Amino acid sequence: MTEAKERTRDRISRRQVDKFEQRRAQLAESALQTLAELGYARTSLREIAQNSDFSHGVLHYYFTDKVDLLTHCVRQFEEACVTRYDEIVARAHTASELQRDFATAMAATLRADAKLHRLWYDLRNQSLFEASFRPDVLEIDRRREAMIWHVVSRYADLVPAPVTVPPRVAYALLDGLFQQALLQYLSGAEEAAADLEREVPTVLARVVAG
């Protein structure tokens, strides 16, 4: 085979892969709302198909099973989530400004995306029982930890003072606070988001020796 033919074959192959991944992304976006509404245990591929414009057979063609679809959905959502605070960190000029804007953003995503965040925690809980989930969950968790550490370390620079806890502890504190607020919010406590917004600055201040 000539070099030109090999290059042509490689381009066609890449296009086919790209089209396949684009289709998976479309299907995952369509399935995300159903999964977020019902959760992992109560949702089947057939039920997802009934709530979308795609057939059960199409879903089976693009995804091996429900685990494959769910992890793809959560990865897709988290790819947007893990950069949500980058702009806040970049524009912050004072520690108090970063405290305020970070807390406001956390409360805003609680209000706007509560069911989608619930899906992430569902997946993380399922990974305690389903070994097939664990590699994806651990990777997403590492990225979320790095996102929080980006905020905390920048806050420490602005104080200025050293951070008194390692990244995993800072993440556990803020993620735990968010998960508690999410449970309260989904239970009908409208004030949960406002409480979260008020409590986040306190946690930030306590993890830095200022």
Side-chain angles (χ1 to χ4, degrees):
M1 182 180 292
T2 67
E3 185 177 340
K5 286 183 177 179
E6 286 181 357
R7 287 199 300 269
T8 300
R9 185 188 64 182
D10 289 343
R11 283 198 300 272
I12 292 171
S13 178
R14 283 196 298 273
R15 282 201 300 270
Q16 289 173 336
V17 170
D18 289 345
K19 286 177 68 175
F20 185 82
E21 287 304 318
Q22 287 169 8
R23 189 63 165 160
R24 274 168 62 89
Q26 290 172 353
L27 291 167
E29 184 67 30
S30 176
L32 190 56
Q33 293 301 325
T34 301
L35 281 164
E37 185 68 36
L38 299 178
Y40 171 78
R42 296 167 57 200
T43 310
S44 65
L45 286 183
R46 190 171 300 280
E47 188 156 14
I48 290 168
Q50 289 172 352
N51 285 278
S52 73
D53 296 328
F54 306 104
S55 70
H56 186 229
V58 167
L59 287 175
H60 260 301
Y61 177 77
Y62 284 96
F63 297 97
T64 307
D65 51 24
K66 187 172 68 168
V67 171
D68 186 22
L69 175 58
L70 176 59
T71 52
H72 195 87
C73 285
V74 174
R75 274 175 167 274
Q76 203 159 292
F77 174 61
E78 286 298 319
E79 281 174 8
C81 288
V82 295
T83 60
R84 71 158 58 88
Y85 304 123
D86 287 355
E87 185 179 345
I88 291 169
V89 172
R91 70 169 183 249
H93 297 294
T94 66
S96 59
E97 182 183 358
L98 181 54
Q99 273 183 313
R100 181 198 66 218
D101 291 350
F102 177 51
T104 299
M106 284 191 76
T109 192
L110 176 66
R111 294 186 183 99
D113 300 314
K115 290 181 179 178
L116 295 175
H117 288 297
R118 176 176 67 181
L119 181 60
W120 154 245
Y121 289 114
D122 187 14
L123 175 60
R124 192 163 72 177
N125 288 336
Q126 289 294 330
S127 73
L128 298 174
F129 303 94
E130 296 267 2
S132 56
F133 283 139
R134 287 174 198 156
D136 290 289
V137 166
L138 288 171
E139 182 185 340
I140 293 169
D141 223 34
R142 281 192 293 267
R143 293 175 66 186
R144 290 169 65 94
E145 180 182 307
M147 171 185 71
I148 293 299
W149 186 247
H150 186 44
V151 175
V152 170
S153 57
R154 176 58 178 157
Y155 174 74
D157 289 342
L158 291 169
V159 171
V163 185
T164 59
V165 297
R168 63 182 179 81
V169 174
Y171 173 52
L173 288 169
L174 286 161
D175 184 65
L177 188 64
F178 184 87
Q179 188 175 8
Q180 279 188 332
L182 177 64
L183 176 59
Q184 293 297 319
Y185 188 78
L186 290 170
S187 300
E190 291 293 331
E191 69 277 10
D195 290 344
L196 177 67
E197 189 169 356
R198 186 178 60 256
E199 292 159 356
V200 165
T202 302
V203 174
L204 270 181
R206 290 191 176 183
V207 300
V208 172

